[in-house]
Amino acid sequence: MTEKRLVVIVVLFTAFAFMIELNMVHINVSGRYVERAGSQQNREYIIDDDRGIITDADFNRITNSTEKYKTLVTAYDEDMQQVFNALTETEKKKFSDNVQSGINFMAQLEYPVDGRKIYRISQRYSGFNIAQHLVGYVDTEGNGVSGLEQVFDEELKKASTIRYLDTEINGYGQIVSAQLKEKTDNPDGVPVLLSLTIDNTIQRICEGLAKEYIPNGAIVVMESNTGEIKAMVSTPFYSANNIPQAMSSENSPLVNKALQSYEAGSVIKPLWSAVLLENGYNPDKIYNCTGKIKVNDHEYHCANNTAHGEVDMEKALTVSCNCYFINSHINNKAFSFYQMAKNLSFGEKILLTREYGTKAGYFPAIEELENLGQLSSISFGQGKMLLTPVHVTAYMNMFATGGIYISPQIARGIYNADTKEVITNLYSCNEKRIIDENTADMVKNMLKSVVEDGAMGRAKPGNLSAGGKTGTAQTGRYNENGEEILTAWFCGFYPYDNPKYTICITMYNGGESTRTAAPIFKKICDSLYYIIKE
């Protein structure tokens, strides 16, 4: 056999063997695909978990106020580019991995895509939902982890109805059939909502002002006669749809500043005026302020060492004279201070609804107040005293109600979402008299003078009168320039003749309150005027 012939035979034999091998592979692979195609399975794709909504006092939605769109994406879709373009940024990040792995998934779209099956659902949080610090947020599993979402998690989850696609999928991952279904864990089958005391309009007004003027702080607006909180604002704001970003941002945007405690400063002076009046102090008694006063070898000063000259109680409040209050309070007033503070829950947590409330803050024990240095500092709002904006709002409100303290409230109840019938009442108007009505009226009148003649006129509303007090509190902390960080306050009631609202503005690192917090009080009052007129 020639060499040439031998080569031809070897080549033919090799080709024949390869064909047999390829045929065997084809038979095996085909068999596996036939087996896969026959192994169909069912799979559920969640469209939405309709958690119970949260509303304001008039059942206007706070959560679930905007729509979003969802569609089921598979690796076999022919309009991949159009779908990708419509995806949210979060969905785009997982799109490629899912498609390459042949994983079907329910994707959220920014807008509907023509020719696709689209499911419209309500979005739990909009890009900038109101009352976000109060409401809180849920985790990726739909569990409440913050704010009222956490406190009322059980009721809100029980109210949920889950919509899902029940699909049949073949071995290739292709959807053979899909059926829209619902299921619920609610044994009663009653959709519920949580109604808060918040007023959407007032909340939006305050949030707009806070966004423009308060980088780090809070606004609280309480209805004077009921204790219902109509607005609770905290800054900085954050997106409930991007919690990781908020966690790494400055000034702790996830913290509700309305519930945190701060140094009070002069915003507390109206209360100590009431203590004096309740103990028979003559408000017309004149004190000559030289800008400084010595107690136990320690010298205290008025702001900027200003000598106010002859002042009575009203003028002392108007010009915020520290020395007047130190001089008035150092004579056996420790117990009266302590008793009044405890009656107003200073140093204690104020519950606003079930398991949800303020920080306790701090107020000195009676033994501490017997130290003249501590008592002197407390008398003009410094020393060892920390109060939350809610505490200050509630205490100031008693001058608007003739000496009656009304407990602040934030929730009205759990309601049937369809009929608006109450299922669980959460509101209770708890009242107690703290000071005599005549005392309250006297201080109220002095606070009108503060707004009319003090704070450089910056707190004075454009319509109707108001009463209130500034506060610029030293914190003992300093910025990078070596300047002391100040907490600016303004708290007051509006309108003066028949108070409807008590308003508190708190600004951490807010500078001088007459220049920062007082003008915001005026702006809020000017907006509330048109609501009161309706």
Side-chain angles (χ1 to χ4, degrees):
M1 183 178 293
T2 66
E3 183 178 345
K4 184 177 179 180
R5 229 168 173 192
L6 183 61
V7 169
V8 171
I9 291 173
V10 170
V11 169
L12 289 174
F13 179 79
T14 302
F16 180 71
F18 176 75
M19 292 298 294
I20 293 175
E21 178 77 15
L22 184 62
N23 190 52
M24 291 298 295
V25 169
H26 174 73
I27 291 172
N28 289 335
V29 170
S30 297
R32 287 200 301 271
Y33 271 94
V34 169
E35 181 180 355
R36 284 181 60 190
S39 62
Q40 296 180 346
Q41 57 181 312
N42 288 82
R43 185 171 298 168
E44 295 179 358
Y45 295 94
I46 302 296
I47 298 172
D48 66 340
D49 186 346
D50 192 18
R51 182 179 173 89
I53 65 172
I54 300 176
T55 76
D56 77 347
D58 294 320
F59 301 114
N60 298 306
R61 291 188 175 207
I62 293 178
T63 64
N64 303 78
S65 60
T66 58
E67 275 193 336
K68 63 180 179 181
Y69 312 95
K70 282 194 173 181
T71 189
L72 184 61
V73 178
T74 77
Y76 298 92
D77 291 341
E78 296 179 357
D79 55 351
M80 285 292 193
Q81 187 60 54
Q82 291 90 333
V83 172
F84 181 80
N85 292 339
L87 292 175
T88 64
E89 290 303 316
T90 302
E91 297 295 283
K92 284 179 180 178
K93 292 176 182 178
K94 65 182 180 181
F95 176 86
S96 179
D97 291 339
N98 285 345
V99 170
Q100 289 181 17
S101 302
I103 299 173
N104 304 329
F105 68 103
M106 190 66 69
Q108 184 175 328
L109 305 174
E110 295 281 7
Y111 54 85
V113 176
D114 292 339
R116 291 191 67 87
K117 180 64 177 177
I118 301 295
Y119 303 96
R120 294 174 181 268
I121 63 175
S122 61
Q123 187 169 355
R124 188 66 180 175
Y125 311 114
S126 63
F128 184 74
N129 59 293
I130 69 166
Q132 55 187 220
H133 294 86
L134 176 60
V135 168
Y137 55 90
V138 298
D139 61 19
T140 55
E141 302 298 320
N143 301 306
V145 295
S146 171
L148 297 179
E149 291 275 30
Q150 180 182 36
V151 173
F152 293 97
D153 188 47
E154 183 178 345
E155 287 91 343
L156 295 174
K157 284 170 67 174
K158 188 183 292 184
S160 66
T161 299
I162 301 173
R163 283 198 305 158
Y164 65 98
L165 278 184
D166 188 7
T167 65
E168 189 175 356
I169 302 175
N170 65 22
Y172 300 110
Q174 295 173 312
I175 295 175
V176 178
S177 64
Q179 188 176 1
L180 183 62
K181 293 184 177 181
E182 291 184 354
K183 58 184 175 182
T184 180
D185 294 328
N186 186 353
D188 302 321
V190 176
V192 304
L193 60 83
L194 170 62
S195 175
L196 308 183
T197 61
I198 293 294
D199 181 298
N200 264 11
T201 302
I202 299 176
Q203 180 75 23
R204 291 183 187 279
I205 288 170
C206 293
E207 287 189 2
L209 291 170
K211 188 175 184 180
E212 186 171 358
Y213 298 109
I214 306 178
N216 187 2
I219 298 175
V220 176
V221 179
M222 188 172 84
E223 193 170 63
S224 298
N225 293 331
T226 65
E228 291 191 0
I229 292 177
K230 294 302 177 184
M232 180 178 283
V233 181
S234 177
T235 59
F237 297 110
Y238 69 93
S239 170
N241 297 316
N242 194 346
I243 299 302
Q245 182 186 59
M247 287 180 171
S248 60
S249 299
E250 294 182 355
N251 296 328
S252 306
L254 295 178
V255 175
N256 189 344
K257 307 300 173 53
L259 308 180
Q260 301 302 301
S261 55
Y262 304 89
E263 295 81 3
S266 296
V267 77
I268 205 68
K269 287 174 180 173
L271 182 59
W272 300 152
S273 298
V275 172
L276 286 174
L277 293 172
E278 291 281 283
N279 282 273
Y281 193 87
N282 180 5
D284 298 322
K285 182 179 179 180
I286 299 298
Y287 171 76
N288 185 31
C289 171
T290 62
K292 58 187 177 181
I293 185 172
K294 185 173 286 188
V295 178
N296 285 356
D297 296 325
H298 182 82
E299 193 167 80
Y300 297 87
H301 298 263
C302 282
N304 303 317
N305 294 317
T306 301
H308 295 112
E310 294 185 348
V311 295
D312 59 7
M313 184 180 288
E314 182 175 310
K315 187 173 181 182
L317 281 172
T318 302
V319 299
S320 206
C321 178
N322 294 341
C323 295
Y324 173 92
F325 286 93
I326 294 172
N327 180 71
S328 304
H329 287 82
I330 58 178
N331 298 317
N332 302 317
K333 297 296 188 299
F335 180 74
S336 297
F337 268 32
Y338 180 80
Q339 189 176 43
M340 183 72 79
K342 287 304 174 183
N343 283 339
L344 295 168
S345 299
F346 286 12
E348 300 172 6
K349 180 177 181 177
I350 294 179
L351 274 180
L352 301 175
T353 189
R354 178 202 309 169
E355 298 175 16
Y356 185 82
T358 69
K359 296 294 185 182
Y362 186 83
F363 193 80
I366 187 65
E367 294 79 13
E368 295 176 273
L369 288 177
E370 288 172 350
N371 177 294
L372 280 183
Q374 187 61 244
L375 184 61
S376 298
S377 296
I378 290 294
S379 70
F380 66 101
Q382 293 296 152
K384 295 173 65 176
M385 176 172 58
L386 297 171
L387 298 175
T388 74
V390 172
H391 280 86
V392 174
T393 304
Y395 118 67
M396 186 68 77
N397 188 62
M398 74 177 181
F399 299 119
T401 58
I404 302 295
Y405 178 88
I406 302 177
S407 298
Q409 304 276 297
I410 199 62
R412 293 174 63 230
I414 304 290
Y415 289 78
N416 183 311
D418 292 332
T419 67
K420 304 301 187 291
E421 294 178 354
V422 65
I423 298 172
T424 304
N425 178 51
L426 297 170
Y427 171 75
S428 58
C429 187
N430 298 317
E431 303 179 356
K432 60 180 178 180
R433 177 163 293 282
I434 301 293
I435 56 178
D436 182 77
E437 185 174 2
N438 186 55
T439 298
D441 288 344
M442 290 177 68
V443 176
K444 178 187 175 186
N445 188 57
M446 295 176 192
L447 295 177
K448 180 181 179 182
S449 295
V450 173
V451 172
E452 297 284 335
D453 305 320
M456 301 181 184
R458 293 189 172 116
K460 185 178 179 180
N463 297 285
L464 306 179
S465 299
K469 184 70 183 78
T470 53
T472 304
Q474 296 175 283
T475 65
R477 294 179 287 276
Y478 296 83
N479 61 24
E480 61 277 6
N481 299 321
E483 301 166 332
E484 186 172 16
I485 293 172
L486 304 174
T487 300
W489 295 82
F490 196 97
C491 189
F493 42 84
Y494 178 80
Y496 173 81
D497 289 329
N498 183 23
K500 179 72 172 174
Y501 302 105
T502 297
I503 305 151
C504 184
I505 297 105
T506 312
M507 303 173 66
Y508 183 73
N509 198 15
E512 174 56 49
S513 59
T514 58
R515 300 180 181 276
T516 56
I520 298 173
F521 176 79
K522 168 187 163 51
K523 291 177 185 295
I524 294 173
C525 291
D526 288 346
S527 297
L528 292 175
Y529 171 74
Y530 295 98
I531 295 175
I532 293 169
K533 278 185 65 178
E534 292 178 355

